[in-house]
């Protein structure tokens, strides 16, 4: 027979396997322990209600006062700034101003990530394959030509520093590496002023002008002969 | 119920409703025996390992060249090894054992698939071992609370997933219609921990978030491990053992509910208060501080509930070791949590942040509360799964007094020292470090010595505990009925522990 617990209506109790034998073997340690815990239903003390309400109120006031500008008079962007009671968005030096980027720094970074693979970090290129940029008459010469080289690429025979090259350079602008005008201007400014080169900076506006007007619609790479025709 | 089987019942055991329940409990306990012993055994071994690293680190703080020229025993590694050994080794192993023992009993379900648990246990402990060796050899990730190198953590995660799945199975197949408050806490904790751990692993180690978000995730995790994993397991144990040992119901079901949900609601936000003064949006900090204040609600509610259950039974503390440890833990929980809410206040934080006060607070939470509760639970659980009594009441007494005095000296000493240190650090006239004049650093030395002293006391306690356990494991089971090992024998056998 399996033991039935008269106070327990749960039929599953029979599956507990509490056979006579196992009951008799229940160790004294288990027999002496108190029944499994239960809960009384004493009502909550009233003062708790007051305490909790007071906490909610105080903490809400605290939050509103110390949110460092989450209120309507500030934008979310400002609210997300570090809290500093001396900070006043109206006098902040950088408020609303665009951040200035040093074209040389930007150019150097882009040169290292793209151009250096072929023209080498020292700008000397690889003899017979990749022409040098250091001291190159193309680099320090007319900005009209090198902007075009970068925008659309270059192919066919070309003479640099008296040596012949006949290879192809991919487009860095649209359809190729997709550099923005700003990045093209920056990288050109960089190669024109590095390794002892000294030629004036190239502006972003000039690049935009050539891309959208002078060379608009061009998709193929330039050749040395075509570029020679451009001043 | 009588603690000695009463006469009528012993004539015809099968008709006594209570005996049927006892038989069921006895079977449930028996089914948990192997895995529970495995986890508890590992826990105690890790406790000893963690204690050794704790002592070394503590000595180094006042005597820096102690073991100073052994690379893998430098402070950065021993302190980290201590933290990981006591958290992931001792605390989590103990928490697992207590959690599934309680879960099985309260769900009235024998432990199924205990093989699953053993595999999980093996994975967990191998993971922790590899992790700590990794830390000692210099592979720490240097992310607080997640220092174990990435080659150890997947093991922990597998272990955890198995245990979580197992707990759900047990709960699902349970026979108990009523869900007791301890079970809410256990289930919630078993859900929360994998959530915390996986998010933290992904956002900090695998695909690290950038900038200050990393710090936010780090403290969200580190604080929630305490509040959403150790705290609920500790509270589940308190909620079980208080009424169990006293043989009377928990004061109020309503307070239990309120305490549980307010903890679930507020705790998750609180971790940000670790970044007060850091480069984090002000409103994020203020929300964290607000939630930290609100934590006073669950703490006070739970405190009242426990206290009202105890009222009228304080004399039982004289007899029952379990009760004494559990009550010490429960009281510490209330105190340490209220101090924690206070520490989140910006003005207070300005002083106590980056001082030994924080260290005192962390130990009050993890040791004075959680570890003491685990000790109490183990004193109750082991006799039931081994069906043997504790061999020595004297050793239990030594254990209790050394660790109770030890942790009190520790917390009081470092709290005072920490406040002093914080005030001095904010005072530009006092040099930070100077070998000739009084400086912030040299002024902390007396307090650091008190910390080492308390460390020695606690070490003695842990040894007494380990000796008592080993003795218990080795001694043969008594054939006849036995009486409990109590601090002193009560006038009537009122207290059953």
């Amino acid at each position: 027979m399996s033991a039935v617990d008269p106070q327990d209506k749960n039929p599953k109790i029979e599956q507990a396997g509490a056979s006579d034998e196992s009951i008799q073997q229940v160790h004294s340690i288990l027999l002496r322990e108190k029944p499994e815990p239960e809960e009384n239903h004493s009502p909550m003390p009233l003062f708790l209600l007051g305490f909790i309400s007071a906490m909610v109120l105080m903490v809400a006031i605290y939050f509103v006062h110390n949110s460092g500008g989450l209120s309507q008079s500030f934008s979310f962007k400002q609210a997300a700034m570090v809290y500093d009671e001396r900070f006043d968005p109206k006098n902040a030096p950088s408020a609303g101003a665009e951040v200035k980027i040093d074209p040389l720094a930007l150019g150097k970074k882009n040169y290292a990530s793209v151009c250096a693979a072929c023209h080498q970090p020292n700008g000397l290129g690889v003899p017979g394959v990749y022409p040098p940029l250091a001291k190159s008459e193309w680099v320090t010469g007319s900005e009209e030509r090198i902007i075009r080289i970068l925008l659309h690429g270059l192919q066919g025979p070309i003479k640099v520093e008296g040596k012949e090259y006949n290879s192809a350079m991919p487009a860095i602008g649209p359809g190729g590496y997709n550099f923005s005008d700003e990045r093209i201007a920056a990288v050109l400014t960089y190669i024109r002023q590095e390794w002892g080169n000294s030629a004036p900076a190239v502006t972003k506006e000039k690049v935009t002008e050539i891309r959208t007007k002078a060379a608009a619609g061009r998709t193929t790479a330039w050749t040395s002969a075509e570029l020679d025709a451009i001043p | 119920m009588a603690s000695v089987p009463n006469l009528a019942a012993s004539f015809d055991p099968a008709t006594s409703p209570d005996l049927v329940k006892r038989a069921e409990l006895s079977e449930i306990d028996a089914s948990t025996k192997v895995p529970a012993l495995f986890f508890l055994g590992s826990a105690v071994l890790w406790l000893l390992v963690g204690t050794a690293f704790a002592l070394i680190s503590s000595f180094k703080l006042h005597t820096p060249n102690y073991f100073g020229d052994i690379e893998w025993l430098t402070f950065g590694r021993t302190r980290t090894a201590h933290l990981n050994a006591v958290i992931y080794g001792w605390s989590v192993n103990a928490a697992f054992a207590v959690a599934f023992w309680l879960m099985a009993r309260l769900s009235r379900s024998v432990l199924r698939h205990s093989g699953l648990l053993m595999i999980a246990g093996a994975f967990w402990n191998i993971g922790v071992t590899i992790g700590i060796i990794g830390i000692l050899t210099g592979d720490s990730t240097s992310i607080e609370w997640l220092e174990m190198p990435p080659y150890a953590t997947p093991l922990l995660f597998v272990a955890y997933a198995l245990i979580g799945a197992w707990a759900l199975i047990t709960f699902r197949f349970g026979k108990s219609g009523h869900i007791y408050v301890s079970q809410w806490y256990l289930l919630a904790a078993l859900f929360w921990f994998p959530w915390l751990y996986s998010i933290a692993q992904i956002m900090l180690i695998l695909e690290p978030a950038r900038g200050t978000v990393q710090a936010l995730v780090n403290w969200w995790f580190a604080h929630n491990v305490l509040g959403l994993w150790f705290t609920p397991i500790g509270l589940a144990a308190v909620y079980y053992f208080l009424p169990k040992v006293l043989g009377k119901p928990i004061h109020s079901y309503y307070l239990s509910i309120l305490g549980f949900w307010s903890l679930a609601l507020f705790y998750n936000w609180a971790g940000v208060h670790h970044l007060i003064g850091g480069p984090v949006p002000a409103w994020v900090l203020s929300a964290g501080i607000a939630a930290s204040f609100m934590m006073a609600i669950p703490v006070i509610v739970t405190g009242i509930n426990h206290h009202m259950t105890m009222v009228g039974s304080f004399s039982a503390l004289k007899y029952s070791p379990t009760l004494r440890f559990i009550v010490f833990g429960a009281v510490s929980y209330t105190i340490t949590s209220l101090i924690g809410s206070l520490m989140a206040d910006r003005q207070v934080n300005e002083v106590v942040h980056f001082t030994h006060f924080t260290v005192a607070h962390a130990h009050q939470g993890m040791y004075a509360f959680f570890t003491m509760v685990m000790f109490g639970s183990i004193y109750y659980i082991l006799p039931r799964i081994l069906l043997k009594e504790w061999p020595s009441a004297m050793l239990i007494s030594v254990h209790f007094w050394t660790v109770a005095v030890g942790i009190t000296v520790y917390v009081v000493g470092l709290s005072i020292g920490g406040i002093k240190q914080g005030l001095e650090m904010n005072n530009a006239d006092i040099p930070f470090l100077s070998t000739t004049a009084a400086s912030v650093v040299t002024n902390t030395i007396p307090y650091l010595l008190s910390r080492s002293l308390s460390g020695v006391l606690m070490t003695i306690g842990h040894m007494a505990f380990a000796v008592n356990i080993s003795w218990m494991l080795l001694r043969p089971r008594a054939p006849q009925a036995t009486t409990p090992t109590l601090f002193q024998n009560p006038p009537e056998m009122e207290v059953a522990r």
Side-chain angles (χ1 to χ4, degrees):
Chain A
M1 155 211 143
S2 67
V4 178
D5 180 355
Q7 280 173 7
D8 193 334
K9 300 282 173 302
N10 190 340
K12 284 197 241 165
I13 187 72
E14 282 175 299
Q15 294 158 20
S19 61
D20 289 351
E21 213 179 323
S22 70
I23 290 176
Q24 268 145 6
Q25 279 171 359
V26 173
H27 198 275
S28 57
I29 294 184
L30 275 136
L31 288 178
R32 71 161 182 257
E33 74 177 52
K34 302 277 162 99
E36 288 287 273
E38 282 171 4
E39 284 145 321
N40 261 350
H41 288 75
S42 323
M44 273 191 227
L46 200 59
F47 84 88
L48 259 188
L49 189 69
F51 171 70
I52 294 175
S53 320
M55 282 298 289
V56 171
L57 184 73
M58 273 159 42
V59 164
I61 294 176
Y62 176 87
F63 181 72
V64 170
H65 272 266
N66 290 280
S67 55
L70 197 62
S71 56
Q72 293 120 336
S73 54
F74 293 91
S75 73
F76 227 103
K77 199 170 156 198
Q78 284 157 354
M81 294 207 293
V82 176
Y83 178 68
D84 180 350
E85 61 267 23
R86 290 159 304 185
F87 175 79
D88 176 0
K90 280 172 236 107
N91 306 333
S94 67
E98 261 188 55
V99 187
K100 277 259 181 296
I101 297 173
D102 175 10
L104 281 178
L106 180 66
K108 183 172 183 175
K109 196 171 142 222
N110 284 298
Y111 182 84
S113 65
V114 173
C115 325
C118 298
H119 295 287
Q120 303 304 304
N122 57 12
L124 294 179
V126 176
V129 194
Y130 301 121
L133 302 181
K135 316 255 160 37
S136 155
E137 65 277 17
W138 289 88
V139 173
T140 50
S142 157
E143 62 175 13
E144 294 274 344
R145 296 178 190 163
I146 51 169
I147 291 177
R148 284 176 169 77
I149 294 180
L150 259 72
L151 278 173
H152 307 112
L154 179 69
Q155 62 186 16
I158 182 175
K159 201 169 186 182
V160 183
E161 296 179 34
K163 294 207 181 70
E164 283 284 347
Y165 296 85
N166 190 351
S167 178
M169 162 164 161
I172 305 297
Y177 280 84
N178 273 326
F179 269 32
S180 66
D181 295 345
E182 186 183 12
R183 282 168 81 191
I184 289 181
V187 79
L188 285 176
T189 305
Y190 171 73
I191 61 171
R192 274 156 81 91
Q193 298 179 357
E194 185 69 19
W195 313 299
N197 292 354
S198 70
V202 174
T203 62
K204 175 171 121 193
E205 289 73 22
K206 185 75 193 170
V207 179
T208 314
E209 186 198 308
I210 295 182
R211 180 170 59 78
T212 55
K213 299 206 183 91
R218 179 154 187 126
T219 50
T220 53
W222 298 89
T223 61
S224 161
E226 275 177 309
L227 290 173
D228 279 337
I230 295 164
Chain B
M1 263 323 282
S3 44
V4 211
N6 65 42
L7 219 57
S10 59
F11 282 130
D12 189 1
T15 55
S16 154
D18 194 53
L19 267 179
V20 176
K21 285 197 179 138
R22 294 308 150 101
E24 194 189 52
L25 282 186
S26 130
E27 254 169 59
I28 292 172
D29 283 0
S31 72
T32 60
K33 178 175 174 179
V34 177
L37 274 182
F38 178 78
F39 278 98
L40 288 179
S42 325
V44 174
L45 288 180
W46 281 119
L47 178 67
L48 297 180
V49 173
T51 311
F53 283 121
L55 274 188
I56 298 176
S57 320
S58 182
F59 288 153
K60 278 169 181 290
L61 281 174
H62 45 77
T63 316
N65 37 14
Y66 175 75
F67 281 149
D69 43 10
I70 304 176
E71 190 188 340
W72 52 276
L73 286 184
T74 42
F75 182 79
R77 298 187 189 178
T78 53
R79 193 218 86 116
T80 312
H82 157 66
L83 184 138
N84 282 273
V86 294
I87 293 299
Y88 297 99
W90 151 251
S91 303
V92 175
N93 267 314
F96 280 152
V98 170
F100 67 66
W101 185 83
L102 283 180
M103 192 55 134
R105 270 197 163 204
L106 289 168
S107 313
R108 296 179 55 203
S109 158
V110 288
L111 195 138
R112 275 159 245 257
H113 312 299
S114 60
L116 210 65
L117 279 180
M118 295 300 288
I119 300 174
F123 265 88
W124 185 271
N125 285 291
I126 293 172
V128 176
T129 311
I130 296 179
I132 289 182
I133 293 176
I135 289 169
L136 289 176
T137 51
D139 279 350
S140 154
T141 61
S142 63
I143 294 175
E144 215 165 343
W145 285 79
L146 291 170
E147 290 98 341
M148 288 197 207
Y151 48 76
T153 42
L155 290 170
L156 300 187
F157 201 78
V158 172
Y160 195 84
L162 289 175
I163 290 174
W166 173 87
L168 286 182
I169 295 176
T170 306
F171 179 70
R172 177 71 190 71
F173 287 104
K175 281 201 291 287
S176 175
H178 176 68
I179 306 180
Y180 183 65
V181 42
S182 295
Q183 283 169 292
W184 314 340
Y185 280 107
L186 291 175
L187 274 182
L190 289 163
F191 270 116
W192 284 329
F193 186 71
W195 168 53
L196 300 171
Y197 196 69
S198 53
I199 299 271
Q201 284 291 334
I202 294 168
M203 291 190 67
L204 296 172
I205 313 257
L206 299 180
E207 204 47 60
R210 296 176 57 174
T212 49
V213 177
Q214 212 175 79
L216 280 172
V217 176
N218 193 180
W219 281 114
W220 169 82
F221 169 75
H223 205 78
N224 282 347
V225 173
L226 299 173
L228 296 181
W229 166 243
F230 290 122
T231 301
I233 301 249
L235 289 181
V238 176
Y239 268 115
Y240 181 85
F241 289 111
L242 269 193
K244 183 77 188 178
V245 175
L246 296 175
K248 57 187 197 183
I250 276 289
H251 174 66
S252 165
Y253 175 74
Y254 307 115
L255 289 178
S256 309
I257 292 204
L258 182 60
F260 175 81
W261 285 109
S262 48
L263 178 105
L265 185 61
F266 298 128
Y267 211 112
N268 184 35
W269 295 73
V272 208
H273 64 221
H274 284 269
L275 295 171
I276 293 174
V280 175
W283 66 269
V284 176
L285 287 180
S286 293
I289 296 170
S292 308
F293 290 162
M294 292 304 273
M295 274 304 295
I297 293 176
V299 169
I300 289 178
V301 166
T302 311
I304 294 178
N305 211 6
H306 291 163
H307 180 79
M308 295 307 285
T309 308
M310 270 307 282
V311 164
S313 306
F314 283 102
S315 61
L317 287 175
K318 283 201 290 243
Y319 314 115
S320 164
T322 296
L323 194 64
R324 207 185 272 179
F325 278 98
I326 297 271
V327 168
F328 190 102
V331 172
S332 303
Y333 171 68
T334 312
I335 300 176
T336 193
S337 305
L338 293 178
I339 293 181
S341 295
L342 218 72
M343 286 166 75
D345 178 75
R346 278 193 169 90
Q347 260 89 42
V348 178
N349 199 273
E350 229 163 63
V351 177
V352 298
H353 202 180
F354 302 122
T355 69
H356 293 298
F357 193 92
T358 317
V359 182
H361 174 67
H363 282 79
Q364 200 179 11
M366 270 317 289
Y367 198 99
F369 161 49
F370 185 78
T371 296
M372 292 301 259
V373 169
M374 288 299 113
F375 285 150
S377 313
I378 294 174
Y379 278 118
Y380 194 89
I381 295 174
L382 271 188
R384 275 150 187 94
I385 57 177
L386 289 174
L387 299 175
K388 298 180 199 172
E389 305 293 352
W390 285 95
S392 163
M394 211 268 286
L395 283 176
I396 305 182
S397 202
V398 169
H399 181 199
F400 179 79
W401 286 111
T402 47
V403 296
V405 172
I407 192 63
T408 310
V409 170
Y410 187 110
V411 171
V412 172
L414 285 192
S415 296
I416 298 174
I419 294 176
K420 197 162 161 268
Q421 183 192 12
L423 292 172
E424 286 174 2
M425 283 205 288
N426 291 350
N427 179 349
D429 296 335
I430 303 176
F432 185 70
L433 180 59
S434 156
T435 41
T436 47
S439 66
V440 177
V441 172
T442 45
N443 285 348
T444 60
I445 291 179
Y447 302 97
L448 294 173
L449 285 169
S450 79
R451 169 215 193 110
S452 286
L453 175 81
S454 64
V456 171
L457 276 178
M458 288 188 266
T459 310
I460 297 173
H462 298 164
M463 310 269 257
F465 183 49
V467 168
N468 218 357
I469 290 190
S470 325
W471 185 356
M472 185 175 187
L473 286 172
L474 295 177
R475 95 205 281 225
R477 185 175 301 159
Q480 73 288 12
T482 49
T483 51
T485 312
L486 303 175
F487 287 134
Q488 37 177 291
N489 282 328
E492 294 152 48
M493 290 292 282
E494 225 179 32
V495 182
R497 42 109 277 172

